[in-house]
Amino acid sequence: MTIKRWPFFSLLLLCLGFFALLAGCNKSDRDEDKEILSARDYALAHHIFDDAFRQVHRFAMGDTLLNDTSVKQSLDACLDRRTTSLSDTVALFPLMLNLNYGDKGTPCYDNGLRYGRILASFSGKYLNKGTLITFSFDGYRKDIYDVSGKLTVINQGINNQGRRYYTFIIQEGLITGTNINIQLDGTFSYQWVSGSSTETDFTDDVFEIDSGMVAGRNSRGSSFTNEVTAKYTSDFSCPHFVTGRSYMQVQNLIDRTLNYGEINDCDNVLISRRNNTYLEVEIPIMQLEAF
C-alpha cells in the first residue's frame, strides 16, 4: 500500500516545484520592486500645480492692479482673455485674476497647451507680505490632463537672506486623463532666488523649493508620501524642475529617493533609486516642440 503511494507523491512534488518555478519567472515589476508609477505620478502632479503658479506669477508681476509696476505685458496668444476685476481699473481687494485659455488649443509661449480657466483671488498686492492667493480651476486642462483642487500661495515677506518666500499649499489636488488618476495634498516652502530685478523678463525668474511634504495616491490607488530633502529648483526657463532630491515612501514597497539631477539640465527625466537599483522616470508631458 505504501509502495503504491510513492508515484503520486513524486508527481505532486514535481508539480509543486514546477509551479514555484513558474511563479518565480513571472514576477511582476511590483514584486521585484521596480515600480516607478508613484514617482511619475507625483512628479507630473507637482509639475502641473507649479506651472499654474508660474502662469499667475507672470501676469501678477505685469498687472498694474496687482503690482506697482509700469510693465506693459502683451497678451499670450493662447489666452482668450485676461481680466483682473470687473472694471480692470480699480484696485479693490480681493481681486480676481481670470486667465481664460478657451478651448482652441492654441500653443502658449512655452509650446504647452492649456484650456479652460485658472482663477486666482488676491487678498492684496502680489508683492506685499501677507497677501493670500487662492487658486481654483474651471474646466482647466494642462496639455492632456484635467486639473482640479485648490492651490493656496501665501506671501511670507522677506527672509533673512533678503529673498521673498511663499508657502505653497495643494489641497485635494486631482490630475486625471487616460489611465491617469492622481490625488495629491502637500505643503511646500518656495523662495524667489533670481530674476526679481528684471521686471520685463519673466523667463529668468527662479524659485527654490527648500522644503515640502506631500501625501497622495497614484493612478492604481496605492498611497505614497514624498518629502523634499535637497532643494528643488523651479527655473522659469525650463518647464520642469532642474535640480532636487526627495525621499519617497510607497505603500507595501521599499523606500526610495527621487533625483532631478545635480546640474541644470532641462529635461523631463528624474531618477528613482531603491537601494542600489536606479530607474529612469519620464514625466509624460506633451508639447509640440522641445522647450
Side-chain angles (χ1 to χ4, degrees):
M1 190 72 173
T2 304
I3 296 174
K4 291 182 179 180
R5 290 180 179 173
W6 275 109
F8 171 76
F9 285 117
S10 298
L11 180 61
L12 179 61
L13 290 172
L14 182 62
C15 289
L16 289 174
F18 171 76
F19 284 119
L21 179 62
L22 185 63
C25 293
N26 287 281
K27 286 184 177 179
S28 66
D29 284 351
R30 185 176 179 82
D31 293 330
E32 295 177 356
D33 201 359
K34 294 181 180 178
E35 191 258 21
I36 59 173
L37 181 67
S38 298
R40 184 206 70 177
D41 282 1
Y42 156 70
L44 174 60
H46 194 175
H47 158 79
I48 288 175
F49 284 107
D50 179 76
D51 178 79
F53 167 67
R54 294 185 187 198
Q55 305 317 306
V56 169
H57 169 82
R58 290 177 65 245
F59 284 98
M61 284 300 296
D63 190 287
T64 55
L65 296 181
L66 296 173
N67 181 27
D68 297 320
T69 179
S70 59
V71 176
K72 182 176 178 58
Q73 186 173 161
S74 60
L75 192 66
D76 197 320
C78 66
L79 278 164
D80 273 2
R81 61 184 180 276
R82 172 188 60 82
T83 55
T84 314
S85 67
L86 292 177
S87 66
D88 255 1
T89 59
V90 182
L92 296 176
F93 292 98
L95 284 178
M96 178 70 74
L97 175 63
N98 176 0
L99 300 181
N100 190 339
Y101 296 92
D103 57 4
K104 305 184 305 295
T106 302
C108 295
Y109 68 97
D110 58 356
N111 292 321
L113 300 177
R114 297 175 180 86
Y115 309 82
R117 298 194 300 164
I118 299 176
L119 303 169
S121 174
F122 289 73
S123 68
K125 295 278 188 180
Y126 177 54
L127 296 182
N128 288 357
K129 180 179 179 179
T131 291
L132 181 74
I133 311 165
T134 304
F135 295 63
S136 58
F137 304 94
D138 180 16
Y140 181 64
R141 173 178 290 187
K142 170 66 168 68
D143 296 321
I144 57 175
Y145 304 105
D146 295 314
V147 183
S148 62
K150 180 181 177 181
L151 172 62
T152 304
V153 176
I154 306 167
N155 186 332
Q156 302 287 4
I158 307 296
N159 62 18
N160 55 15
Q161 295 175 301
R163 297 168 174 170
R164 282 189 175 84
Y165 69 109
Y166 302 80
T167 300
F168 185 103
I169 305 168
I170 302 169
Q171 295 172 288
E172 298 181 351
L174 181 63
I175 308 297
T176 57
T178 303
N179 298 321
I180 294 288
N181 189 309
I182 310 164
Q183 301 174 41
L184 197 72
D185 291 270
T187 301
F188 302 90
S189 177
Y190 274 56
Q191 68 168 323
W192 191 357
V193 298
S194 181
S196 60
S197 62
T198 54
E199 289 187 342
T200 59
D201 182 7
F202 304 106
T203 62
D204 69 347
D205 289 354
V206 179
F207 284 78
E208 288 180 348
I209 304 171
D210 298 321
S211 62
M213 183 75 184
V214 302
R217 289 190 178 275
N218 67 27
S219 297
R220 292 178 183 165
S222 295
S223 61
F224 65 83
T225 61
N226 190 73
E227 181 178 7
V228 175
T229 55
K231 61 189 178 185
Y232 288 9
T233 303
S234 179
D235 187 329
F236 281 30
S237 66
C238 178
H240 309 284
F241 298 129
V242 292
T243 64
R245 291 175 180 265
S246 56
Y247 180 76
M248 173 169 272
Q249 295 180 301
V250 183
Q251 181 181 355
N252 298 327
L253 297 180
I254 297 172
D255 298 349
R256 60 214 57 216
T257 59
L258 307 184
N259 187 354
Y260 281 95
E262 303 297 339
I263 57 175
N264 293 337
D265 287 335
C266 180
D267 58 39
N268 63 329
V269 174
L270 58 90
I271 301 298
S272 173
R273 177 183 178 181
R274 192 262 309 157
N275 293 334
N276 291 319
T277 300
Y278 296 80
L279 300 169
E280 187 173 274
V281 181
E282 183 174 343
I283 306 168
I285 296 295
M286 183 188 75
Q287 289 184 305
L288 298 183
E289 299 175 3
F291 188 80

